[in-house]
Amino acid sequence: MNIHIFDHEEQLYKEAARRIIDLVQDRPKAVLGLATGSSPLGVYKELIKSYQSHHVSFEHVTTFNLDEYVGLSSDHPQSYRSFMNRELFNHLNIHLKNTFIPSGDSINIHNEPDRYNALLSNYQIDLQLLGIGTNGHIGFNEPGTPFDLLTHVVTLDSRTRTDNARFFHHLDQVPTQAITMGIQSIMNAKEIVLIATGEKKASAVKAMIRGPIDPMLPASILQNHPNVHIYLNHQSAKDL
Ligand code: F6R
């Protein structure tokens, strides 16, 4: 694992975005694995800046998102499709038809993992961007998820629902299920970039890096990946 610790978050996001920008400059048809939540937002701002100043083009890039809530329509403001369009895609020259996100539409949810896995099997993700949950989840692979799963439907941990309640008016509105790429799908990426900031992430970060590899701390499996870059600030790195 390559650990990068920064004094200033702005620098952290610039450096993490640099990995993506360099990749897309070298490989205009790059396949990116993307995440939602607070952690990647600073990176997305840097990607938008770089595109707007004509340093990089996303015209031929394909993206796969990690996850989506079950039961929110894609146009719900808190769906991950809405999040991605709002925070990134609408500001780039990427073609929306090349941006894939699992569908959380509950009517077809039982077929969705197979559909998404079939799509993914036509590509290899060059770089997968990740955040980490306070419980050590990656994607929505909650503690106890076997390491060898591909895309699947999960019941969200109560801690994940509480952590994400900040995006909703009430805890009751946070969906109870999600669909997520599995840990095996994540480990298939050629390169992984994980971002964690803030003291709330410190214990999960320590367990991911220093702890035993254990399904109860899903991110610990990243110790087995040959090309991982972890971007931390002093708060999230404080227990290392
Ligand atoms: C989001 C995702 C989650 C988040 C994690 C951290 O697509 O897969 O694993 O990365 O819950 O969330 P934030 O960044 O909001 O602290």
Side-chain angles (χ1 to χ4, degrees):
M1 285 178 147
N2 303 283
I3 318 284
H4 311 267
I5 302 174
F6 293 85
D7 286 329
H8 301 292
E9 276 185 35
E10 207 183 315
Q11 199 55 27
L12 182 164
Y13 296 128
K14 271 194 200 318
E15 301 278 330
R18 187 79 257 156
R19 300 199 87 81
I20 300 178
I21 293 162
D22 287 351
L23 168 70
V24 175
Q25 284 172 338
D26 282 359
R27 253 177 92 82
K29 293 187 173 173
V31 181
L32 303 177
L34 299 179
T36 56
S38 310
S39 305
L41 282 176
V43 171
Y44 294 161
K45 290 204 171 80
E46 292 299 324
L47 297 183
I48 293 166
K49 268 200 240 165
S50 188
Y51 162 69
Q52 287 176 343
S53 49
H54 308 289
H55 288 121
V56 66
S57 166
F58 291 84
E59 193 178 357
H60 302 294
V61 166
T62 298
T63 64
F64 282 90
N65 262 77
L66 285 166
D67 39 26
E68 179 60 283
Y69 288 119
V70 171
L72 297 191
S73 62
S74 59
D75 58 357
H76 186 288
Q78 294 313 329
S79 77
Y80 285 169
R81 166 52 78 184
S82 296
F83 175 101
M84 289 307 299
N85 287 356
R86 187 171 62 234
E87 302 296 344
L88 185 64
F89 299 147
N90 289 348
H91 310 282
L92 304 177
N93 63 339
I94 196 162
H95 296 286
L96 279 183
K97 69 175 171 52
N98 297 334
T99 66
F100 299 106
I101 301 184
S103 162
D105 179 341
S106 28
I107 297 172
N108 296 318
I109 197 66
H110 296 298
N111 302 325
E112 184 59 6
D114 287 349
R115 189 194 72 87
Y116 206 63
N117 286 330
L119 260 175
L120 266 168
S121 69
N122 298 318
Y123 295 86
Q124 186 180 15
I125 291 177
D126 292 300
L127 184 151
Q128 175 68 56
L129 190 59
L130 295 177
I132 180 172
T134 54
N135 64 0
H137 73 208
I138 46 176
F140 276 139
N141 294 283
E142 301 288 27
T145 307
F147 287 143
D148 59 357
L149 293 189
L150 299 175
T151 307
H152 59 287
V153 175
V154 296
T155 296
L156 294 172
D157 204 63
S158 60
R159 193 152 157 199
T160 300
R161 292 187 66 242
T162 313
D163 285 346
N164 288 1
R166 68 190 193 278
F167 297 113
F168 295 81
H169 294 303
H170 287 290
L171 179 60
D172 291 357
Q173 295 170 337
V174 184
T176 54
Q177 284 191 305
I179 176 164
T180 182
M181 273 164 56
I183 289 181
Q184 188 59 56
S185 333
I186 293 171
M187 291 294 277
N188 286 342
K190 288 188 205 159
E191 178 179 355
I192 292 179
V193 171
L194 183 145
I195 294 172
T197 58
E199 211 173 324
K200 268 174 64 184
K201 300 288 173 76
S203 80
V205 163
K206 181 183 178 197
M208 163 175 70
I209 296 172
R210 303 260 182 262
I213 297 175
D214 181 346
M216 291 314 290
L217 201 297
S220 62
I221 191 65
L222 300 178
Q223 293 175 32
N224 280 349
H225 192 285
N227 190 10
V228 181
H229 291 268
I230 313 272
Y231 287 80
L232 305 174
N233 65 359
H234 281 295
Q235 286 85 356
S236 61
K238 81 176 181 43
D239 294 343
L240 291 181

